[in-house]
Amino acid sequence: MEYYNNSDFKSVKKVDAHLHINTEDARYLEFAALQNFSILSPNVDAGTPVEKQLSIAAAHRRNYPGNFAFLGTFTTDSFGTAGFVQNVIGQIDRAVEQGASGVKIWKNIGMTLKDSNNRYVMADDPAFDPIFQYLTDKKIPLMAHLGEPRNCWLPLEQMTDSGDYSYFRSHPEYHMLLHPEAPSYEDQINARDNVLKKFPGLTFVASHIASLEWNLDEVAKRLDLYPSMSIDLSARIAHVQRQSIADYEKVRDFFIRYQDRILYGIDITISEGGDRFDAVSSEMLRKWKSDWAYLATDSTQVIENISGDIRGLHLPRTVIDKVYYENVNRHFNAFKK
């Protein structure tokens, strides 16, 4: 069996399948290409206006077709109106016409969106059924960030990852411990699972290890139940590393068993405003190299907020090639070697 090492990082063709490029600054794409990375950039119903995100992404796709692809999205502004479904389908069609490789939905569905009775709207609400059916019929793949890490429902001091601590401290509107009236963690997971049950033919990539990052056994259970579901690793790999300290072989076996259904990504958002290129590109490279060392090699490294050295999983080349490149193409048909 053949393996990569740290010196192979730059020579292997890779895709970051979850990196938000919301800037016209093409230096990030050029920098990624130097590291042999292409970018799949998911648009989301948050931050930069959706139409602006689409304009930026479509331009990058035209200019860098071999190194940049994107997922469109839609707003929920018209939810509850008679024209909601057609409005959303129109947004999906426009994104696809401009080069989108699929669609992304975000955690506002389930966490902030409310109906006219002030009730939270979950992803399995019947109002979304015609939209998911349309995606299924048109064979448009879906990436879904539904729910949040389980840490989201814990006090800050009990959170098991420093990234979660920093995010929820800065975004109390999404720290669900502070919003007991909102749907629970279990509600979020169940709603997502209900969508998978209702639409078994929908190509479905569950972002952030399906919001089940704390327990790969729970992820495996869903992957076995829902053959159309895959996961990406974005912004949750520290949770996997923590589990590999406790049971190294179980984590390694998970990647080998589900090698066809795991996509790599880091989930950094790059927006317009200010010249942050040096700092952001350095952070991208740091994350990329650290994750490569963990997934592809047997080297050890120290990871922030995780006690003890983290030993790399040393996955076979065939597995690494799938996680870093082949799976994203099979799901989204975004890039060609």
Side-chain angles (χ1 to χ4, degrees):
M1 199 167 290
E2 296 184 340
Y3 299 90
Y4 291 121
N5 56 45
N6 281 315
S7 65
D8 293 314
F9 169 79
K10 205 167 182 176
S11 64
V12 177
K13 195 161 184 61
K14 306 173 289 295
V15 176
D16 188 317
H18 198 134
L19 184 66
H20 303 278
I21 305 287
N22 294 334
T23 175
E24 296 174 351
D25 190 343
R27 288 181 297 170
Y28 294 99
L29 306 186
E30 293 162 359
F31 174 78
L34 289 174
Q35 314 306 322
N36 227 337
F37 261 106
S38 297
I39 302 298
L40 178 64
S41 177
N43 293 350
V44 297
D45 186 16
T48 303
V50 166
E51 287 301 320
K52 178 67 172 176
Q53 291 180 55
L54 178 57
S55 174
I56 291 171
H60 284 320
R61 179 63 174 172
R62 289 191 300 270
N63 295 331
Y64 298 90
N67 292 98
F68 181 87
F70 72 97
L71 306 179
T73 193
F74 55 84
T75 67
T76 57
D77 297 347
S78 62
F79 184 85
T81 69
F84 173 65
V85 171
Q86 285 310 118
N87 181 302
V88 168
I89 288 175
Q91 293 181 69
I92 292 170
D93 286 345
R94 285 195 298 278
V96 171
E97 288 166 4
Q98 295 195 48
S101 296
V103 170
K104 167 79 181 287
I105 60 174
W106 200 56
K107 65 187 181 186
N108 57 324
I109 299 173
M111 300 191 81
T112 60
L113 179 63
K114 294 183 180 180
D115 64 16
S116 58
N117 296 313
N118 205 38
R119 290 181 298 210
Y120 285 88
V121 178
M122 308 299 285
D124 60 350
D125 190 288
F128 291 108
D129 286 358
I131 297 163
F132 293 134
Q133 189 62 57
Y134 184 79
L135 295 173
T136 303
D137 294 342
K138 294 292 185 179
K139 301 189 185 307
I140 300 172
L142 177 70
M143 177 182 283
H145 175 175
L146 297 172
E148 282 287 66
R150 195 173 62 162
N151 280 339
C152 180
W153 282 263
L154 297 176
L156 287 171
E157 63 274 11
Q158 293 181 25
M159 292 186 180
T160 57
D161 179 75
S162 60
D164 291 345
Y165 175 92
S166 299
Y167 179 82
F168 293 116
R169 183 181 60 182
S170 301
H171 296 86
E173 69 273 25
Y174 294 121
H175 186 187
M176 288 298 104
L177 180 74
L178 307 179
H179 306 281
E181 75 286 356
S184 68
Y185 173 74
E186 290 74 19
D187 291 335
Q188 304 289 346
I189 299 301
N190 290 337
R192 192 270 321 287
D193 289 356
N194 287 337
V195 172
L196 289 162
K197 290 174 189 173
K198 286 198 283 185
F199 301 96
L202 175 61
T203 298
F204 191 107
V205 175
S207 295
H208 313 309
I209 317 185
S211 293
L212 293 164
E213 71 297 320
W214 61 280
N215 189 330
L216 291 182
D217 289 338
E218 291 295 320
V219 183
K221 189 185 302 181
R222 269 64 176 199
L223 291 172
D224 291 342
L225 280 171
Y226 310 118
S228 66
M229 173 182 147
S230 296
I231 61 170
D232 79 29
L233 302 174
S234 60
R236 301 290 184 269
I237 203 163
H239 297 271
V240 176
Q241 291 167 330
R242 184 172 285 104
Q243 290 170 74
S244 69
I245 292 176
D247 195 333
Y248 179 88
E249 291 302 330
K250 184 173 83 170
V251 172
R252 189 171 188 274
D253 289 346
F254 173 89
F255 277 84
I256 292 172
R257 179 178 178 185
Y258 298 107
Q259 60 186 272
D260 296 312
R261 299 167 70 184
I262 302 170
L263 285 66
Y264 175 75
I266 60 174
D267 190 24
I268 284 179
T269 298
I270 306 170
S271 301
E272 299 278 16
D275 190 356
R276 301 173 56 242
F277 173 76
D278 289 343
V280 174
S281 60
S282 293
E283 179 64 5
M284 289 162 60
L285 186 58
R286 184 193 69 79
K287 286 180 176 290
W288 283 339
K289 285 189 169 181
S290 174
D291 293 346
W292 176 269
Y294 177 66
L295 296 170
T297 82
D298 61 357
S299 60
T300 60
Q301 57 182 315
V302 176
I303 303 294
E304 182 183 3
N305 199 39
I306 300 178
S307 59
D309 291 343
I310 302 298
R311 175 187 168 199
L313 296 178
H314 205 213
L315 299 171
R317 283 192 183 201
T318 52
V319 177
I320 291 297
D321 289 342
K322 289 178 181 179
V323 170
Y324 273 91
Y325 192 87
E326 293 170 15
N327 292 343
V328 68
N329 276 310
R330 186 164 48 82
H331 285 77
F332 296 107
N333 195 28
F335 306 100
K336 299 299 179 187
K337 265 187 176 175

